[in-house]
Amino acid sequence: MTMMVKVEEKLYQNRYIVDESRPHIQIKSVEACQTCEKQACTFCCPAACYSKNETGGVTLVTDGCLECGTCRVVCQDKGNIAWDYPRGGYGISYKFG
């Protein structure tokens, strides 16, 4: 019998080295997030890096980012995400490939 493993348990195995001096993702305009009707980044990001805050905007924490680019795709109409790959030596190291 095969045991089901939760995605969260596999994600926990990954290593992430944070580049505190130069985050690879930034929100360009806080005001644009506050007026965004969908705020799709808050529920589409598989690493849950985006969350709604008390002011109606979006808070971004890049720790644990999977570098998948989902945030760029869901925010394509507003173009409010500045996204680039992390510098060499920083970012995610996948344990399972």
Side-chain angles (χ1 to χ4, degrees), residues 60 74 94:
L60 169 62
V74 298
Y94 291 102

Side-chain angles (χ1 to χ4, degrees), residues 6 27 33 49-51 75 82 88 90:
K6 294 181 179 182
I27 295 174
C33 287
C49 292
Y50 297 86
S51 60
C75 190
Y90 293 97

Side-chain angles (χ1 to χ4, degrees), residues 5-70:
V5 179
K6 294 181 179 182
V7 172
E8 292 83 4
E9 291 174 12
K10 285 191 175 188
L11 290 175
Y12 182 73
Q13 300 295 318
N14 295 330
R15 238 176 24 110
Y16 194 85
I17 301 171
V18 179
D19 187 356
E20 294 181 16
S21 65
R22 196 174 101 190
H24 70 286
I25 304 173
Q26 294 178 333
I27 295 174
K28 293 179 184 177
S29 167
V30 175
E31 294 80 21
C33 287
Q34 289 174 328
T35 60
C36 180
E37 293 176 24
K38 297 177 186 175
Q39 292 182 334
C41 58
T42 61
F43 56 86
C44 288
C45 176
C49 292
Y50 297 86
S51 60
K52 292 183 181 184
N53 60 33
E54 62 279 347
T55 63
V58 174
T59 300
L60 169 62
V61 178
T62 59
D63 301 7
C65 174
L66 301 176
E67 300 168 21
C68 65
T70 300

